[in-house]
Amino acid sequence: MQFNFNNPYTTTRLPVFARNVVSTSHPLASQAGLRMLWRGGNAVDAAIAAAAALTITEPVSNGLGSDAFAILWDGKKLHGLNASGRAPQSWTPDYFQGKYGSGPSNPPKRGFDSVTVPGAVASWVALSERFGKLPFADLLEPAIEIAERGYLLTTVVQQKWAAATPELQALPGFAQAFLPWGRAPEVGELFQFQAAARGLRAIAHTRGQALYGGEIAQAIEKFSAQHGGSLKASDFAAYQPQWVQPIAKNYRGYTVHEIPPNGQGIAALIALGILDRFDLSALAVDGVDSQHLQIEAMKLAFADVYRYVAEPESMDVTTEQLLDDSYLAARARLIDMKRAQDFGAGNPVKGGTIYLSAADENGMMVSFIQSNYMGFGSGCVEPNFGVSLQNRGHGFSLEPKGLNPANLVAPGKRPFHTIIPAFLTQNGQPVMSFGVMGANMQPQGHLQTLVRMLDYRQNPQAACDAPRWRYNMGLEINVEAGMDRTSVQGLAERGHRMEVINDSYQDFGSGQFIWRAGDPKVHGYVVASDSRRDGLAAGF
């Protein structure tokens, strides 16, 4: 691929070129990953160190109680890891109806009844055991140091911290952990997280067992019971992440890989499969026709994903049926170039989050994502070990006859999940590890950045910096304030109901991209980090 390295968009970032690289949404996390590479570690070691550091430096997006997914190129083969959490054994529709009545369609948004067993730490251990080079405890040293000594708060993280405080300040453990002076820290103030340092040390010394059935799990069980939850240490002890085969779809001579359901990565593949029927390169990159086509393809994808995707064992259609070429061709024919539409699901049956990427000169590439889901997640923070717990349980359905019955809550089941790492190959060889964080913005970000790179040859940093749109529901979309005004007007004339948004972090996600430029020992990588967060692409 010969990229155009002229960047037409306003940005504070330039692409980075190096042989050993880490790209994350916080500079200290990127540096933690580089420390492992300097020590002789590989890309997996770097990714784990960066992920652990991010639980401290960006707690608005993730924590020790996060879930995670990864796609890894080991030098010869692609591997997928699903470390999303499972429901406590007590969770049934009757459990929630008994506590909250028959009205809610989902479990609560916050509190202990939104918490499934977190999988992120288990993903670190699994990746380290199978592919890492350095001792597991070494990988957590930078995060422990940052938690103990503290760090000065960065601009974007502080903004989101302050914004979340009114909703979360009364939740169990939140104020003790995250409001050290009775308020959110200010930009440039020192934040220390001694409890999380204790948690990280216990995890490091036991290779994760302290959290999965040990002293941390016991502490969480006690804390949960004190505040009306039903999480048990036995739920943690029973947890195991799952190695999976990524699903894939060809696009413009490349192959895009995503984690299979229960995640939403298939939405990006469906939308790309629809767009593959159109010659986007003949349309202006920021023009109304190109943007309209992408939006409509994304709508069609989400219509099917929200109807069918859940735990694979619960789905009544297969991923193969959803990605079938003839089915996608039929869906593509529904697009009207002159008007926006509100699509329903088809019938394919025949008969906050953080994202990071790391790569090394030996060719190993890691696409990794972990998340507490909505901002600080459940808002519940175990006080002795600083475990900030996600709220992924809110993604379950409580309605047996709802939009997606396959996503009905059940003991030990995984909910529909939004976080999705991605990977790009060509002719069976690695090309790019990438991802875009931000709830349902994630497949939309995958779609928009890939189209810019593969159809329009924009370099990864330019594709990352370009203004984005976000589909919400029905005919409603958001667009970034920097989007071409003529295109915005043209979309409105076709019936898209738009709101122009200035807060890019909140609505349009943030990505990291590592593109392999050739033999990594010789040419290395082209690396981008999204300017919508405090991130850093770094290498040597």
Side-chain angles (χ1 to χ4, degrees), residues 311-326:
E311 276 273 53
E313 297 82 3
S314 302
M315 291 170 56
D316 52 11
V317 302
T318 66
T319 57
E320 291 79 12
Q321 289 170 325
L322 288 167
L323 295 175
D324 179 76
D325 284 334
S326 60

Side-chain angles (χ1 to χ4, degrees), residues 487-503:
S487 294
V488 171
Q489 180 62 34
L491 290 171
E493 290 171 353
R494 296 183 191 196
H496 297 278
R497 298 173 185 166
M498 284 180 297
E499 182 180 3
V500 178
I501 303 290
N502 287 308
D503 186 350

Side-chain angles (χ1 to χ4, degrees), residues 23 47-48 50-52 54 62 67-72 81 83 119-121 123-124 127 353-358 366-371 420-422 433-435 512:
S23 185
I48 295 168
L54 281 163
N62 72 132
D67 282 355
F69 293 87
I71 300 179
L72 162 76
L81 182 64
V121 170
S123 78
W124 304 349
L127 287 165
T353 304
I354 64 88
Y355 173 81
L356 64 91
S357 187
V366 183
S367 180
F368 184 90
I369 195 162
Q370 69 184 22
S371 172
I420 51 172
S433 57
F434 72 102
Q512 319 294 331

Side-chain angles (χ1 to χ4, degrees), residues 48 97 111 167 188 202 204 216 274 287 299 446 480 512:
I48 295 168
Q97 185 170 352
E167 180 183 2
I216 300 178
I274 291 170
K299 287 182 187 177
H446 291 192
E480 281 191 288
Q512 319 294 331

Side-chain angles (χ1 to χ4, degrees), residues 232-244:
K232 303 290 186 185
S234 56
D235 293 319
F236 284 78
Y239 182 79
Q240 290 290 332
Q242 180 185 16
W243 292 101
V244 296

Side-chain angles (χ1 to χ4, degrees), residues 422-501:
F423 208 93
L424 189 70
T425 62
Q426 187 176 44
N427 300 322
Q429 295 301 305
V431 174
M432 181 171 64
S433 57
F434 72 102
V436 177
M437 44 203 143
N440 77 337
M441 184 62 210
Q442 294 182 52
Q444 304 188 57
H446 291 192
L447 173 77
Q448 292 175 66
T449 53
L450 281 174
V451 164
R452 288 181 176 279
M453 283 183 262
L454 303 186
D455 286 281
Y456 297 107
R457 297 182 177 268
Q458 291 189 334
N459 74 77
Q461 188 63 58
C464 192
D465 292 329
R468 296 181 187 142
W469 47 263
R470 171 176 172 152
Y471 167 65
N472 295 317
M473 60 185 296
L475 300 178
E476 296 176 7
I477 64 171
N478 296 340
V479 298
E480 281 191 288
M483 184 170 284
D484 180 83
R485 291 184 179 181
T486 302
S487 294
V488 171
Q489 180 62 34
L491 290 171
E493 290 171 353
R494 296 183 191 196
H496 297 278
R497 298 173 185 166
M498 284 180 297
E499 182 180 3
V500 178
I501 303 290

